[in-house]
């Protein structure tokens, strides 16, 4: 690696570290003295019983690693959701050696192999095995004064272009998450040229596009929302705000008459959502999601906001509240007199997307192995369906017309290699609607995303979190026209990481995304932050390599979001 490239990486990674300073800072510090091994009844070879489990500095570093790598699945308070609970009554019973092995090797159920993949060093694994034996820190709250203090309008609406000032085909632009750099790269889908690299929050989770297609909104796991104007000569951030400590979701209003008017973001911590002005990100309304679990009717302190989508049929945001198992239909026509429909669904609500008609929202209650279907036109629950597999993780899912079953929506699973298809046509296929019509095997467990396109005859499934390097570096491709009611459909395996020529580390292939026309599929080859990563573009018709995009600025690329497909909910 050239010295100049190393300097660029160092500078970018230091900016991401600065964004994480609050997480391991005094406000998030351990509130009680760190106990000794004797006090918690755990033995560690080479350590005395009266040794403290860890130092204060180690605790701060462990808090940062936990936030970066673990909190999304296991929760800030470690109470579990997609991942197992990691509360100290369990971790101390299992012991240090168990935790170390678990972190090192991962599991087939979707727990990454942090050690054998090289993502965490032996010292890091030792640290985290001890960190999990200590009670978690108490996170700070984040209310309106904090939000307003973080809110910046970088370019006022009056000073922005009145017309598009560049020659970029915005509809075919890709917003690519550069996870550990705290940035997104905007890449032209026709020329494969990086048009801009923009500083954002740490580990951007999703990119969403305003109804007009002008503004791009990204949200990082550190809850920083950045608004990017795609009309500028060089697209750049025009507003930003930090809506909490940890977050995953952002969306904009899409209903007729409310296009580009409002933005909503959902927090993992504090458990809440905030509605903002669509031109400036000024925070207008904060709503807590703390409350009782729908079935047990007991209070939960950490009901995190997962997926949020904007209804195409009503002026509403659809908000998943993970731990309480509730889906909120938030009417945004009058924020002063907010009207919300609360639907009892299922724990633990995570990701999901619309069916091909954009009327039905299908979302995974992943730790319960269920799919929940919401009619966004009628504003009510339609059905809860068991997927027959462990931990569905669809991303936004994949819509296509099956030769035998008609319109279906697909999900993969973290815990096994299965793909499940749910029928989505209550008009012409009423007997199949909202039932699992087929389940078949794909490449391997640990899949995060599945994708197709209306112009494609192929269904793509990754296996990103699979512990096996060859599997996590490949994708499965199914021929939709060859699918039938009898037997598992065959699939072709594409060695994406090998095509990229990335051999060091354990590069993981993640997040297939089509171009606007549905003729190409883009894959991220996600490697360690100090190693080479890439983006591989595949010709959808021939399933052959079209190009590899490599650039020293492409640090840990993960999610890719085509503007046209994202804006129009095409998947």
């Amino acid at each position: 690696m050239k010295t100049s490239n190393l300097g660029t990486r160092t500078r970018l990674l230091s900016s991401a570290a600065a964004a994480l300073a609050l997480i391991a800072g005094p406000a998030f510090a351990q509130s009680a003295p760190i106990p000794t091994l004797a006090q918690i009844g755990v033995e560690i070879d080479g350590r005395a019983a009266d040794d403290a489990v860890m130092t204060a500095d180690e605790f701060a570093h462990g808090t940062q690693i936990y936030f970066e790598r673990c909190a999304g699945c296991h929760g800030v308070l470690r109470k579990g959701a997609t991942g197992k609970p990691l509360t100290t009554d369990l971790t101390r019973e299992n012991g240090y050696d168990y935790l170390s092995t678990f972190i090192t090797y991962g599991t087939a159920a979707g727990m990454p192999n942090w050690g054998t993949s090289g993502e965490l060093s032996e010292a890091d694994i030792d640290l985290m095995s001890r960190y999990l034996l200590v009670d978690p820190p108490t996170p700070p709250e984040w209310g309106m004064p904090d939000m307003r203090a973080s809110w910046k309008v970088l370019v006022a609406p009056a000073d922005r272009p009145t017309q598009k000032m560049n020659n970029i085909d915005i509809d075919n632009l890709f917003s690519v998450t550069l996870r550990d750099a705290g940035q997104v790269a905007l890449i032209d889908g026709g020329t494969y040229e990086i048009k801009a690299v923009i500083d954002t929050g740490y580990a951007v989770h999703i990119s969403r596009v305003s109804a007009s297609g002008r503004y791009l909104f990204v949200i990082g796991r550190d809850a920083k929302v950045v608004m990017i104007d795609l009309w500028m000569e060089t697209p750049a951030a025009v507003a930003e705000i930090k809506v909490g400590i940890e977050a995953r979701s952002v969306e904009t209003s899409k209903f007729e008459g409310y296009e580009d008017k409002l933005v909503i973001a959902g927090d993992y911590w504090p458990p809440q959502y905030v509605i903002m002005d669509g031109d400036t990100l000024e925070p207008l309304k904060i709503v807590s999601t703390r409350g009782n679990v729908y079935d047990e009717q007991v209070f939960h302190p950490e009901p995190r906001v997962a997926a949020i989508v904007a209804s195409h049929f009503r002026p509403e945001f659809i908000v998943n509240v993970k731990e309480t198992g509730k889906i909120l239909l938030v009417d945004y026509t009058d924020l002063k007199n907010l009207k919300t429909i609360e639907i009892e669904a299922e724990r633990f609500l995570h990701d999901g997307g619309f069916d091909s008609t954009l009327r039905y929202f299908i979302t995974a209650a992943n730790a319960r192995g269920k799919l929940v279907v919401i009619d966004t036109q009628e504003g009510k629950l339609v059905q809860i369906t068991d997927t027959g597999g462990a931990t569905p993780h669809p991303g936004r899912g994949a819509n296509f017309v099956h030769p035998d079953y008609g319109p279906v929506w697909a999900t993969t699973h973290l815990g096994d290699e299965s793909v499940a298809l749910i029928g989505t046509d209550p008009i012409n296929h009423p007997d199949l609607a909202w039932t699992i019509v087929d389940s078949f095997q794909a490449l391997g467990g640990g899949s995060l995303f599945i994708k197709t396109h209306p112009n494609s005859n192929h269904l793509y499934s990754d296996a990103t979190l699979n512990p096996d390097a060859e599997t996590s570096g490949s994708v499965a491709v199914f021929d939709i026209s060859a699918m039938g009611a009898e037997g598992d459909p065959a699939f072709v395996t594409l060695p994406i990481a090998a095509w990229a020529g990335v051999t060091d580390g354990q590069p993981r292939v993640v997040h297939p995304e089509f171009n606007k026309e549905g003729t190409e599929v883009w894959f991220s080859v996600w490697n360690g932050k100090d190693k080479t990563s890439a983006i591989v573009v595949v010709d959808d018709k021939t399933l052959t390599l079209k190009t590899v995009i490599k650039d020293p600025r492409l640090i840990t690329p993960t999610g890719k979001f085509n503007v046209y497909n994202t804006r129009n909910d095409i998947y």
Side-chain angles (χ1 to χ4, degrees):
M1 182 183 295
K2 295 179 180 179
T3 303
S4 59
N5 291 344
L6 178 59
T8 299
R9 286 175 179 257
T10 301
R11 175 177 55 80
L12 297 179
L13 291 171
S14 66
S15 67
L20 287 166
L22 177 64
I23 300 303
F28 213 137
Q30 172 74 356
S31 57
I34 296 174
T36 65
L37 292 172
Q39 288 172 328
I40 65 173
V42 175
E43 295 181 357
I44 301 177
D45 286 346
R47 294 180 182 269
D50 58 354
D51 283 348
V53 178
M54 62 199 324
T55 67
D57 286 344
E58 287 178 323
F59 183 86
H61 185 45
T63 299
Q64 180 174 328
I65 293 176
Y66 184 84
F67 168 78
E68 292 180 15
R69 303 298 186 191
C70 316
C73 288
H74 298 284
V76 172
L77 301 180
R78 303 190 206 156
K79 292 183 177 296
T82 305
K84 294 178 180 294
L86 295 173
T87 49
T88 54
D89 59 319
L90 300 174
T91 59
R92 293 172 185 177
E93 180 179 355
N94 286 322
Y96 171 88
D97 291 338
Y98 171 89
L99 295 171
S100 179
T101 301
F102 189 73
I103 296 169
T104 300
Y105 296 102
T107 71
M111 170 71 178
N113 53 322
W114 296 115
T116 56
S117 68
E119 286 289 323
L120 293 180
S121 66
E122 288 186 11
D124 288 334
I125 293 170
D126 166 63
L127 173 69
M128 295 310 296
S129 301
R130 289 182 287 123
Y131 177 79
L132 295 177
L133 298 172
V134 179
D135 287 322
T138 302
E141 298 297 321
W142 195 267
M144 186 62 77
D146 303 294
M147 289 189 198
R148 297 195 73 88
S150 72
W151 171 49
K152 297 177 183 177
V153 178
L154 306 173
V155 181
D159 298 328
R160 297 173 195 166
T162 57
Q163 60 183 0
K164 185 170 171 283
M165 301 298 291
N166 57 57
N167 61 359
I168 300 171
D169 180 2
I170 290 177
D171 272 352
N172 203 27
L173 193 67
F174 286 76
S175 175
V176 180
T177 298
L178 306 180
R179 187 189 189 278
D180 290 351
Q183 297 176 317
V184 294
L186 303 183
I187 304 181
D188 190 303
T191 66
Y192 314 122
E193 177 186 358
I194 298 177
K195 293 295 186 179
V197 175
I198 300 169
D199 291 336
T200 61
Y202 169 76
V204 164
H205 193 64
I206 59 171
S207 298
R208 292 292 181 258
V209 183
S210 65
S212 69
R214 173 173 182 172
Y215 292 112
L216 176 73
F217 298 88
V218 298
I219 188 165
R221 293 194 175 197
D222 58 356
K224 184 178 180 180
V225 180
V226 176
M227 177 182 183
I228 298 166
D229 188 351
L230 300 178
W231 279 12
M232 298 172 73
E233 186 174 353
T234 300
V238 294
E240 63 180 48
I241 188 173
K242 189 170 168 57
V243 296
I245 303 300
E246 187 187 3
R248 293 295 186 279
S249 50
V250 67
E251 183 60 287
T252 70
S253 52
K254 293 182 177 179
F255 191 71
E256 184 178 358
Y258 293 89
E259 300 93 335
D260 294 22
K261 297 294 185 185
L262 296 169
V263 178
I264 184 173
D267 284 339
Y268 267 25
W269 190 273
Q272 61 192 23
Y273 64 84
V274 56
I275 299 175
M276 297 160 278
D277 179 80
D279 284 330
T280 66
L281 294 183
E282 179 183 6
L284 305 174
K285 184 87 171 183
I286 303 172
V287 180
S288 173
T289 54
R290 287 184 173 102
N292 291 331
V293 176
Y294 88 95
D295 50 357
E296 297 173 356
Q297 293 292 296
V298 295
F299 181 78
H300 198 291
E302 191 188 0
R304 297 173 290 175
V305 177
I308 300 177
V309 296
S311 173
H312 295 266
F313 288 85
R314 291 152 58 130
E316 291 177 342
F317 293 121
I318 297 101
V319 179
N320 276 358
V321 185
K322 184 187 289 278
E323 278 75 15
T324 54
K326 298 174 182 178
I327 296 176
L328 309 179
L329 308 184
V330 181
D331 184 330
Y332 50 70
T333 59
D334 184 356
L335 300 187
K336 287 289 185 182
N337 301 285
L338 193 68
K339 297 177 182 177
T340 301
I341 296 173
E342 181 180 285
I343 297 174
E344 293 185 352
E346 180 59 280
R347 304 167 72 189
F348 295 84
L349 297 164
H350 192 61
D351 51 357
F354 290 109
D355 77 310
S356 60
T357 70
L358 304 181
R359 173 174 174 174
Y360 297 96
F361 176 53
I362 309 168
T363 186
N366 52 21
R368 292 285 176 91
K370 302 289 178 61
L371 296 177
V372 177
V373 182
I374 300 295
D375 184 342
T376 66
Q377 179 173 305
E378 297 295 330
K380 64 181 182 181
L381 175 70
V382 175
Q383 191 156 316
I384 299 174
T385 302
D386 194 312
T387 67
T391 319
H393 192 288
R396 306 197 86 183
N399 289 296
F400 62 94
V401 178
H402 190 280
D404 293 329
Y405 303 124
V408 297
W409 181 91
T411 181
T412 51
H413 296 81
L414 282 171
D416 62 29
E417 61 270 29
S418 67
V419 174
L421 307 182
I422 185 171
T424 60
D425 185 2
I427 304 300
N428 300 306
H429 298 81
D431 294 341
L432 303 178
W434 320 129
T435 65
I436 299 301
V437 297
D438 199 5
S439 181
F440 50 84
Q441 303 301 297
L443 187 60
S447 176
L448 291 180
F449 299 102
I450 190 166
K451 192 64 66 75
T452 188
H453 188 280
N455 295 334
S456 172
N457 187 48
H458 292 124
L459 178 68
Y460 297 82
S461 169
D462 63 26
T464 310
L465 298 183
N466 196 283
D468 177 70
E470 184 177 355
T471 303
S472 68
S474 303
V475 296
V477 189
F478 296 88
D479 182 334
I480 293 173
S481 64
M483 291 181 176
E486 299 296 329
D488 285 357
F491 62 84
V492 174
T493 301
L494 303 185
I496 301 297
W499 284 355
V502 177
T503 57
D504 58 337
Q506 183 176 343
R508 299 178 184 275
V509 174
V510 64
H511 198 255
E513 176 74 341
F514 279 84
N515 64 347
K516 174 187 173 183
E517 292 81 11
T519 58
E520 296 176 353
V521 193
W522 292 35
F523 300 92
S524 293
V525 181
W526 169 26
N527 210 351
K529 61 187 177 184
D530 59 343
K531 295 179 173 62
T532 301
S533 293
I535 292 172
V536 170
V537 182
V538 172
D539 184 291
D540 175 64
K541 185 175 182 180
T542 63
L543 300 183
T544 57
L545 175 65
K546 194 158 189 180
T547 193
V548 177
I549 305 173
K550 284 184 178 177
D551 190 288
R553 293 171 291 177
L554 292 180
I555 301 168
T556 57
T558 52
K560 301 160 303 303
F561 301 87
N562 176 270
V563 167
Y564 182 84
N565 294 335
T566 301
R567 175 163 57 97
N568 293 284
D569 290 305
I570 295 173
Y571 33 80

